[in-house]
Amino acid sequence: MVIELIKLLPMVTVILLASNIIIFILTHTIAYYEWYRFGLVPFYLLSDGKMFIITSFTSMFIHANVVHIAFNMLALVALGRVIEGLVGSSKYALIYILSGLVGVTMHASYSLITGNGVNTPLVGASGAVSGIIGLAAVLGDRFAYLWLGVQFIFIVAGLTSIAYFAHIGGFVFGFMAGRLMYSKQKENL
């Protein structure tokens, strides 16, 4: 049954899903006490540019717990099965990765400006997945705007230690990339 469901998904979505799940299993079994080292520490932006770049990428594939990865992967599959086919695998992969990088950079900037969580590792694919949600908004998904509004409500309310600015940064990048893609498409018609 699971294999049949995976066969229905586009290639990049399957690769991202499998990568995240395999890395989650490895980091929570073999490297259980070391997984946080692959998270992005916001202070790296000021102190260690090389580590900032490396962990900006690795942090997108590390998740804190089962609930964390489950929500990210459910959103990835729900959106990826439709959006990857609409925009193409290459553009989808590029927007996913760049949204994640923009998201972690926005979170790190917020942390450094406010002093909140400057040395706390950031983990998760939320910024990257949020970029796909931003792309969905451009393609007409009204739920994407509701999701964005909820992020702002949670920021104002100060709820949990979730990296909402990573979500918003990823969303904004995905939205802008989608607008740029579709404005260029209209120009070519």
Side-chain angles (χ1 to χ4, degrees):
M1 182 173 154
V2 172
I3 300 296
E4 294 301 318
L5 290 174
I6 290 173
K7 286 180 182 178
L8 297 174
L9 296 174
M11 179 183 61
V12 171
T13 299
V14 170
I15 291 168
L16 291 171
L17 177 66
S19 299
N20 276 282
I21 291 171
I22 290 167
I23 291 169
F24 178 78
I25 291 168
L26 291 174
T27 56
H28 285 275
T29 55
I30 297 169
Y32 185 71
Y33 294 104
E34 301 294 321
W35 66 266
Y36 64 89
R37 291 179 185 235
F38 299 101
L40 173 103
V41 175
F43 192 67
Y44 289 160
L45 185 59
L46 300 177
S47 66
D48 190 342
K50 183 178 177 182
M51 279 303 289
F52 182 81
I53 292 167
I54 291 168
T55 58
S56 288
F57 184 76
T58 59
S59 67
M60 290 189 281
F61 294 92
I62 306 295
H63 290 83
N65 54 48
V66 172
V67 172
H68 188 202
I69 192 168
F71 275 112
N72 279 335
M73 295 304 101
L74 284 171
L76 176 67
V77 168
L79 293 168
R81 66 184 179 78
V82 174
I83 298 204
E84 184 177 344
L86 292 173
V87 301
S89 295
S90 297
K91 289 178 184 173
Y92 177 80
L94 186 62
I95 290 171
Y96 180 90
I97 295 297
L98 292 178
S99 294
L101 295 174
V102 168
V104 297
T105 302
M106 188 162 172
H107 171 77
S109 300
Y110 165 78
S111 292
L112 291 170
I113 290 167
T114 64
N116 293 329
V118 184
N119 291 306
T120 304
L122 169 70
V123 295
S126 300
V129 172
S130 297
I132 301 305
I133 295 171
L135 187 53
V138 172
L139 297 171
D141 185 340
R142 292 185 194 138
F143 174 76
Y145 295 108
L146 175 63
W147 176 89
L148 181 63
V150 168
Q151 303 308 300
F152 282 108
I153 291 168
F154 285 162
I155 288 170
V156 171
L159 299 175
T160 76
S161 60
I162 293 172
Y164 294 110
F165 282 93
H167 296 183
I168 292 168
F171 180 95
V172 168
F173 181 84
F175 184 86
M176 289 174 25
R179 295 287 295 199
L180 184 63
M181 271 191 321
Y182 286 97
S183 68
K184 284 189 176 192
Q185 224 176 32
K186 286 179 184 176
E187 287 174 11
N188 292 334
L189 293 177

